């Protein structure tokens, strides 16, 4: 996978956006539980990332 955006959090496990292939983007972030008022479907998980991670992102 190719890193296309990474935050400067100073740690090893920082929010990051990866390109897996031409059709797939992977987002690593902080688990965002309880934001939707109901559980997400099985197999899905929401993550939070800093807005700055999206600045200047070109896909």
């Amino acid at each position: 996978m190719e890193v296309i955006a990474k935050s400067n959090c100073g740690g090893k496990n920082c929010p990051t956006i990866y390109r897996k292939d031409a059709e797939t983007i992977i987002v690593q972030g902080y688990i965002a539980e309880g934001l939707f008022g109901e559980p997400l479907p099985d197999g899905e998980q929401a993550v939070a990332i800093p807005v700055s991670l999206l600045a200047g992102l070109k896909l």
Side-chain angles (χ1 to χ4, degrees), residues 8-47:
N8 260 345
C9 71
K12 184 177 180 181
N13 295 316
C14 301
T16 305
I17 300 174
Y18 304 89
R19 180 183 300 273
K20 180 180 175 202
D21 54 44
E23 301 295 321
T24 308
I25 298 294
I26 307 294
V27 178
Q28 172 188 343
Y30 305 110
I31 296 173
E33 295 183 24
L35 297 179
F36 300 99
E38 58 185 60
L40 293 173
D42 287 344
E44 293 186 13
Q45 188 167 38
V47 297

Side-chain angles (χ1 to χ4, degrees), residues 2-6 17 19 49-59:
E2 171 191 6
V3 173
I4 58 175
K6 184 171 181 149
I17 300 174
R19 180 183 300 273
I49 59 172
V51 172
S52 61
L53 192 58
L54 302 175
L57 185 63
K58 294 181 182 179
L59 302 174

